[in-house]
């Protein structure tokens, strides 16, 4: 039975499984991310160190992408999901030396990283051991080094030169370890990784738990690299944009875990020193020539001259510690980011000690933190989403992060969760050809490469954590373990500076009320604490348009399949459901995050065209950028066909575009109907403006200046209080009385 025709059966199956799964104890493997108060603010710690930026930096780097030795191996699920304090000896016994440098892996096959252990049509979810040797240059002696993974599905344990450094749970988000003290400069080193792709549908305490309509790619699915810096360095700089200012939280780290030492992280604590943090905002220009460059410096319009700058003296954290330096830059006017005109800026953060870089070697190699960002403001005004003060109606398409291979007859013969920058650019070019300006990034956190190009080309993005078809039982289990909370924090931290990400989604087509609403409320609060510049939502079933679990969220999102999976009349069912949703949630914008149909045959293509023809005009009728409208997005599912592990299907032919690149009839209709200007950032070659700031004062103030301001404020307050008291006395207090 195909997924489309059997949707209701699958949902009922989910409900039954959710109530009948074995009552085995939930996994005791703890989340590895926590929030900690430090000097200057709160930071996220993972594996004992601040969560770093995973953006490309012009720092010394060893890329570990490419061939790894890989051995697929059945693994003990209960062992994988058990707390490492008790399970690590058993895991290393199971490893039988695979984690050690001297192990002979010459007979193992090689697989590409990033990639997968089970490319379609191989749906076997199992475990695998990965091994990769690398050389560390002598120049890295005395430097701090982090080992970074873009993603690994689902539980990864990592060893460096035979020493276990930690683990991570979750298939789509990044993680890092501090490993400098374990590396041998000028010698061969080894990374070994045990990756267990836990079978979906086998337990209810993982995310996603089962019943997914996409391909569950296992293994090291993202890039792996080592990045070096000085002992004290900037590990991330989070930008909170406003219309006339930016706030930047600079996270500093001082480590003793240096190459050439055998010091464990955090064991040595020595005083830091006084330094200066300087943040500079510089205009960026995207052109076809630099569109795919990972280096923010390649976007600079006029080098590093003419930017807005602020500096602040700070105390370097003691060794093994971290701190936050909050900075603020105010300006007179700037260009705002939107899909129509995606203006971008570059932020440069430099840390100097006694008027010189902290490490002279790093000065020659650019030990300065770089990131790009855009200035934009999101708000909800009753039933409308406002972007930079203007109501928006987004025309969207769903996109899965994968590249598929087909034979001459159109049969699926391979695939990967990794796409090159050029492949992602081609995907966004296709979205632009359709006339879309909005991307719903599957049911998982989006590819960082997709977000970078969405920033530069101009597409709004909805990304989400994979709480997919979760039942009340699943919500209880996974929230108690803390895994959705960790995934959300990791996604929000990774993508903090991407202006294209306008929405964070927390669940897709899930059931239950109390458990789901409680989970959504907790996730909304977490999102506000970490970020606060995005709107929150879920993709709820369209057959329940008055779904009460929308209440904790900023927008009310739905999947609409009227005339496809339920209801006989697509147009009338859609119209009626929109009315019910708006009546139930009059203070929330409504977002249709899926509508569509499969197109396996020519007859199906005609039916797919009819669904677009009947549904989209009804959605457009309630568009929020028109008077009285409340619909903020209409999203076709999907732009291209995608692989699925649902038995008997293989490929979901929901795409507006065929595998050969030609538009299906529904795609031709979309191209005529959507007309949303987007994707032109490289052709526009925007040279953004940034007026000189009214004030470049850093957050910190000198004592004499602070005293002067306090004295001035006190004097003004006393004068105003006296004036108000005199006025109220003259009027007998009646003015105040009328306000009661």
């Amino acid at each position: 039975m195909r997924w489309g025709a059997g949707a209701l059966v699958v949902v009922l199956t989910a409900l039954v499984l959710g109530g009948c799964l074995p009552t085995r104890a939930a996994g005791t493997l703890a989340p590895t991310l926590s929030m900690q108060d430090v000097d200057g603010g709160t930071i996220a710690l993972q594996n004992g160190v601040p969560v770093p930026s995973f953006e490309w930096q012009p720092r010394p780097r060893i890329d570990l992408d490419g061939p790894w030795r890989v051995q697929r191996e059945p693994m003990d699920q209960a062992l994988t999901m058990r707390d490492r304090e008790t399970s690590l000896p058993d895991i290393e016994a199971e490893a039988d030396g695979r984690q050690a440098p001297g192990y002979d892996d010459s007979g193992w096959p090689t697989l590409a990283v990033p990639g997968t252990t089970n490319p379609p049509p191989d749906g076997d979810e199992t475990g695998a051991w990965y091994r990769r040797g690398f050389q560390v240059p002598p120049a890295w002696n005395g430097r701090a080094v982090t080992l970074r993974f873009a993603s690994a599905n689902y539980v990864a344990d990592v060893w460096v030169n035979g020493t276990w450094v930690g683990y991570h749970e979750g298939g789509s988000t990044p993680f890092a370890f501090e490993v400098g003290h374990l590396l041998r400069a000028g010698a061969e080193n080894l990374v070994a990784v045990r990756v267990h792709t836990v079978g979906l549908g086998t337990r209810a305490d993982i995310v996603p738990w089962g019943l997914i309509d996409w391909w569950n790619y296992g293994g090291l699915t993202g890039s792996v690299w080592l990045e070096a810096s000085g002992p004290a360095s900037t590990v991330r700089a989070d930008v909170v944009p406003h219309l006339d200012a930016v706030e930047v939280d600079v996270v500093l780290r001082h480590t003793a875990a240096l190459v050439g030492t055998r010091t464990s992280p955090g064991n040595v604590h020595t005083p830091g020193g006084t330094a200066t943090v300087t943040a500079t905002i510089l205009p960026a220009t995207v052109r076809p020539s630099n569109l795919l460059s990972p280096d923010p410096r390649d976007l600079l319009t006029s080098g590093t001259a003419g930017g807005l700058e602020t500096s602040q003296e700070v105390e370097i954290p003691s060794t093994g510690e971290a701190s936050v330096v909050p900075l603020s830059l105010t300006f007179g006017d700037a260009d705002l980011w939107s899909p129509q005109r995606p203006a971008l800026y570059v932020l440069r953060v430099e840390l100097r000690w006694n008027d010189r870089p902290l490490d002279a070697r790093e000065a020659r190699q650019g030990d300065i933190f770089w990131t790009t960002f855009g200035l934009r403001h999101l708000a909800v005004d009753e039933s409308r989403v406002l972007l930079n003060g203007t109501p928006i109606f987004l025309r969207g398409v769903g996109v899965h992060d994968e590249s598929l291979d087909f034979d001459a007859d159109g049969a699926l013969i391979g695939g990967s969760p990794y796409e090159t920058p050029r492949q992602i650019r081609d995907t966004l070019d296709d979205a632009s050809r359709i006339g879309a300006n909005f991307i719903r990034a599957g049911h998982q956190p989006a590819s960082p490469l997709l977000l970078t190009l969405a920033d530069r080309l101009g597409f709004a993005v909805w990304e989400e954590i994979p709480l997919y078809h979760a039942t009340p039982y699943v919500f209880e289990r996974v929230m108690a373990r803390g895994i959705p909370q960790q995934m959300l924090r990791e996604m929000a931290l990774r993508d903090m500076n991407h202006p294209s990400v306008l929405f964070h989604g927390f669940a897709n087509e899930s059931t239950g009320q109390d458990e789901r609403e409680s989970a959504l409320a907790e996730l909304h609060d977490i999102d506000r604490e970490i970020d606060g510049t995005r709107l929150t939502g879920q993709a709820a079933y369209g057959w329940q348009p008055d779904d009460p679990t929308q209440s904790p969220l900023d927008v009310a999102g739905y999947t609409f399949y009227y005339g496809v999976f339920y209801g006989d009349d697509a147009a009338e069912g859609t119209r009626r459901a929109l009315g019910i949703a708006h009546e139930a949630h009059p203070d929330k914008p409504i977002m249709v995050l899926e509508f569509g149909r499969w197109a396996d045959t020519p007859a199906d293509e005609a039916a797919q065209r009819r669904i677009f023809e009947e549904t989209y005009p009804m959605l457009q009728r309630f568009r929020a950028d028109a008077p009285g409208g409340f619909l903020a997005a209409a999203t076709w599912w999907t732009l291209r066909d995608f692989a699925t592990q649902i038995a008997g299907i293989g490929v979901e032919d929901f795409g507006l575009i065929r595998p050969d690149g030609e538009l299906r009839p529904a795609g031709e209709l979309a191209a005529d109907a959507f007309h949303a200007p987007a994707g032109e950032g490289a052709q526009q070659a925007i040279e953004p403006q940034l007026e000189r700031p009214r004030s470049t004062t850093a957050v910190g103030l000198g004592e004499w200046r602070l005293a002067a301001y306090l004295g001035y404020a006190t004097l003004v307050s006393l004068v105003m209080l006296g004036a108000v008291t005199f006025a109220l006395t003259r009027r007998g207090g009646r003015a105040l009385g009328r306000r009661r």
Side-chain angles (χ1 to χ4, degrees), residues 192-213:
V193 188
R194 177 191 189 268
V195 185
H196 191 173
T197 307
V198 178
L200 298 181
T202 62
R203 47 190 313 131
D205 61 348
I206 61 174
V207 180
W209 72 279
L211 292 175
I212 63 168
D213 190 13

Side-chain angles (χ1 to χ4, degrees), residues 331-404:
F331 40 80
D333 197 11
D335 282 291
L336 304 181
W337 187 95
S338 69
Q340 297 90 335
R341 196 170 187 276
L344 291 174
Y345 294 89
V346 170
L347 175 69
R348 177 181 186 268
V349 178
E350 183 176 12
L351 182 64
R352 298 183 73 88
W353 200 338
N354 298 329
D355 294 325
R356 63 178 177 80
L358 287 173
D359 187 323
R361 293 172 302 176
E362 302 299 335
R364 293 194 299 272
Q365 301 184 39
D367 187 24
I368 298 171
F369 185 89
W370 298 84
T371 185
T372 58
F373 68 95
L375 298 163
R376 52 104 177 99
H377 184 262
L378 273 176
V380 170
D381 177 24
E382 295 181 345
S383 58
R384 303 178 302 170
V385 172
L386 302 183
L387 176 60
N388 302 329
T390 301
I392 58 173
F393 172 61
L394 300 167
R395 290 77 134 186
V397 287
V399 170
H400 278 274
D401 293 323
E402 66 181 354
S403 56
L404 299 179

Side-chain angles (χ1 to χ4, degrees), residues 108 163 234 283-284 286 301 318 321 398 429 474 481-482 489 537 561 606 621 664 694 723 726:
W108 294 9
T163 298
T234 298
V286 176
T301 302
S318 297
E321 302 296 333
D429 284 348
V474 170
R481 289 195 59 228
R489 289 185 173 105
Y561 287 103
R621 183 170 157 186
R664 289 189 169 116
R694 294 186 291 271
F726 177 76

Side-chain angles (χ1 to χ4, degrees), residues 65 114-115 217 221-223 399-404 415-428 430 446-450 453 639-641:
D65 287 358
Y217 293 98
T221 54
S223 291
V399 170
H400 278 274
D401 293 323
E402 66 181 354
S403 56
L404 299 179
S416 171
Y418 174 71
E419 294 179 279
T420 67
R422 290 187 180 277
Q423 288 173 318
I424 294 175
R425 183 200 61 189
D426 291 343
T427 297
L428 294 179
D430 281 343
S447 158
L449 289 173
L450 183 141
L453 292 187
L639 177 66
R640 293 176 175 172
D641 299 344

Side-chain angles (χ1 to χ4, degrees), residues 34-45 321-324:
S34 62
M35 305 303 293
Q36 178 175 311
D37 291 333
V38 298
D39 289 345
T42 302
I43 62 172
L45 290 178
E321 302 296 333
S323 64
V324 177

Side-chain angles (χ1 to χ4, degrees), residues 164-189:
W164 182 78
V165 295
Y167 67 91
H168 178 262
E169 177 178 354
S172 305
T173 45
F175 53 101
F177 306 96
E178 204 164 65
V179 298
H181 60 298
L182 299 175
L183 300 179
R184 297 188 293 268
E188 185 75 6
N189 294 264

